[in-house]
Amino acid sequence: MVKHILSASLIILIGALHSAAAKITEIIDTHGDGVGHRLDQPMEIAVDGSNNVYVSGFRSDNAFKITADGAITEIIDATGDGSSNELDGSYGIAVDGLGNVYVAGHWSRNVFSVNPSGAITEIINANGDYAGNRFWEPIGVTVDGIGNIYATGSLTDNAFKITAARAITEIIDATGDGNGNTFDRPSCVAVGGTGNVYVASSGSDNAFKVTPGGAITEIIDSSGDGEGNALGIPYGIAVDVSGNVFVTSYFSAQAFKIAPEGEITVIIDSNGDGTGNTLSGLFRIAADTSGNVYISGRFSNNVFKITPAGTITEIIDASGDGSGNTLSGPYNIAIDGSGNVYVAGSASDNVFKIWGSLIFSDGFESGEAGVWSMNSGI
């Protein structure tokens, strides 16, 4: 009798596994919109309140919008605003609450705004704030809840705030906090609900908090957690609704959580989920409204989910959707309001959607994003 129960359970579990695998969908590939506008080396992703997805193509010098029902439109190309301000090396991308999309041109040293009607405007260029603070080779761009845009200049070692009225202010420069903790080659930027801005610096192996009033604090340095787990080349930073900040360490293959009171802990390392799915080449990191954290392994070709309780699950690997559309070089991650997770494959020239509402994780937590994984003990 017991044997029959176990067999029935196994059938149910295998069925759940197949269902989970089927809920990974490739939503765009190298063909782009299918009418001649290709996607080459997608880097960053953003999602708006209607679950439209936006992705930048670094080598194709463009960006696409993918609607919730799968319609794909190129929203900007190498011509930029069409008025001599070109887009070269499309990198960071963000979208605000009004549907305005912001795209950073790494090599063209600028950021464009694309409004919902399609009008394109250059909002910052190599001249930065026009007060001597230049803006070169931007990587990260993000927005806050009141229409301010933040962008990092990786070659000029700084970050700028651009208001809705287009006033431009440098909020941090190479001097960092001014107390000897320097800021070198910023890689990404995030903003919290209280208006604090967080920037990670890949060249100086640290991260800073910049308050709305302009106070700058180093929140983590190369010593990492101070217990032997070092921070080396941080390429990703995110903040959750509770004010916890998360930073990836590319060199040491770890990610850190920095609590609001300053406590630093390691939340994942090269062991990945501890069941053979390892993690290497940590790049971007994202947090959802439930406190789950998602991390991409660019060299291990996978993405992990970490719950607030510390449960780690690999939610996608190199097999991609399991139907021949593989994932290679995952870069950025985004989460929509329904708990769906989006991953850009920078080397496979595609983006995957991992359906959150129908995918299970550790103990069948229905509604959480993540691929179901079988627990031992069956």
Side-chain angles (χ1 to χ4, degrees), residues 28 58 61 65 75 81 101 110 113 115 143 149 165 183 205 213 244 279 293 295 328 339 345 348 364 373:
I28 190 172
F58 184 70
D61 303 323
K65 173 183 177 180
I75 59 171
D81 62 7
V101 183
N110 52 9
S113 167
N115 74 16
V143 296
I149 304 105
F183 186 58
D205 299 326
N244 299 299
L279 175 64
V293 178
I295 296 174
S328 181
S348 47
F364 299 98
S373 62

Side-chain angles (χ1 to χ4, degrees), residues 2-3 62 65 70 75 89 112 152 160 174 206 219 226 235 261 264 275 292 296 315 352-353 369:
V2 173
K3 181 178 180 181
N62 57 1
K65 173 183 177 180
I75 59 171
F112 292 92
T152 59
F160 291 88
N206 54 3
I219 58 173
Y235 278 143
E261 69 276 9
I264 301 173
T275 65
N292 300 303
S296 62
I315 64 170
F352 291 93
K353 175 180 180 179

Side-chain angles (χ1 to χ4, degrees), residues 167-207:
I168 301 172
T169 308
E170 184 184 60
I171 60 170
I172 187 171
D173 63 18
T175 62
D177 61 8
N179 295 315
N181 302 308
T182 58
F183 186 58
D184 182 22
R185 295 197 70 85
S187 53
C188 50
V189 57
V191 60
T194 58
N196 294 316
V197 180
Y198 302 90
V199 280
S201 181
S202 64
S204 46
D205 299 326
N206 54 3

Side-chain angles (χ1 to χ4, degrees), residues 45-362:
I45 315 174
V47 186
D48 67 20
S50 299
N51 293 357
N52 298 305
V53 181
Y54 304 88
V55 58
S56 61
F58 184 70
R59 284 199 297 255
S60 47
D61 303 323
N62 57 1
F64 294 89
K65 173 183 177 180
I66 307 145
T67 66
D69 59 6
I72 302 172
T73 308
E74 184 184 58
I75 59 171
I76 188 171
D77 63 18
T79 62
D81 62 7
S83 301
S84 77
N85 300 309
E86 298 180 348
L87 172 65
D88 187 4
S90 176
Y91 212 126
I93 193 165
V95 58
D96 66 21
L98 299 175
N100 300 299
V101 183
Y102 303 95
V103 183
H106 185 69
W107 301 122
S108 49
R109 299 176 175 179
N110 52 9
V111 174
F112 292 92
S113 167
V114 185
N115 74 16
S117 66
I120 301 172
T121 308
E122 185 186 64
I123 61 171
I124 187 172
N125 59 32
N127 294 307
D129 60 5
Y130 287 88
N133 301 307
R134 309 277 282 175
F135 179 63
W136 290 4
E137 296 185 12
I139 292 179
V141 60
T142 193
V143 296
D144 65 18
I146 57 175
N148 298 308
I149 304 105
Y150 303 89
T152 59
S154 66
L155 192 60
T156 41
D157 305 323
N158 55 3
F160 291 88
K161 171 184 176 181
I162 306 145
T163 69
R166 301 298 180 251
I168 301 172
T169 308
E170 184 184 60
I171 60 170
I172 187 171
D173 63 18
T175 62
D177 61 8
N179 295 315
N181 302 308
T182 58
F183 186 58
D184 182 22
R185 295 197 70 85
S187 53
C188 50
V189 57
V191 60
T194 58
N196 294 316
V197 180
Y198 302 90
V199 280
S201 181
S202 64
S204 46
D205 299 326
N206 54 3
F208 294 87
K209 176 177 80 172
V210 185
T211 69
I216 301 172
T217 308
E218 184 185 60
I219 58 173
I220 189 170
D221 61 19
S222 60
S223 66
D225 63 1
E227 298 181 5
N229 300 303
L231 175 68
I233 314 180
Y235 278 143
I237 194 164
V239 56
D240 68 15
V241 293
S242 299
N244 299 299
V245 182
F246 303 90
V247 179
T248 61
S249 177
Y250 172 82
F251 183 76
S252 59
Q254 298 175 110
F256 297 89
K257 172 185 174 181
I258 307 152
E261 69 276 9
E263 180 186 11
I264 301 173
T265 53
V266 175
I267 60 170
I268 193 171
D269 60 22
S270 61
N271 293 309
D273 60 9
T275 65
N277 301 309
T278 59
L279 175 64
S280 64
L282 278 71
F283 261 71
R284 293 297 194 245
I285 188 166
D288 67 21
T289 55
S290 298
N292 300 303
V293 178
Y294 305 85
I295 296 174
S296 62
R298 195 172 186 191
F299 296 150
S300 48
N301 297 318
N302 53 6
V303 173
F304 291 89
K305 170 189 171 185
I306 307 164
T307 69
T311 301
I312 301 173
T313 310
E314 183 186 66
I315 64 170
I316 190 171
D317 62 18
S319 66
D321 61 8
S323 300
N325 301 308
T326 59
L327 172 68
S328 181
Y331 204 87
N332 201 21
I333 308 158
I335 307 105
D336 69 23
S338 301
N340 303 306
V341 182
Y342 303 87
V343 180
S346 65
S348 47
D349 298 326
N350 53 7
V351 175
F352 291 93
K353 175 180 180 179
I354 306 165
W355 296 70
S357 61
L358 296 173
I359 300 173
F360 302 99
S361 170
D362 189 42

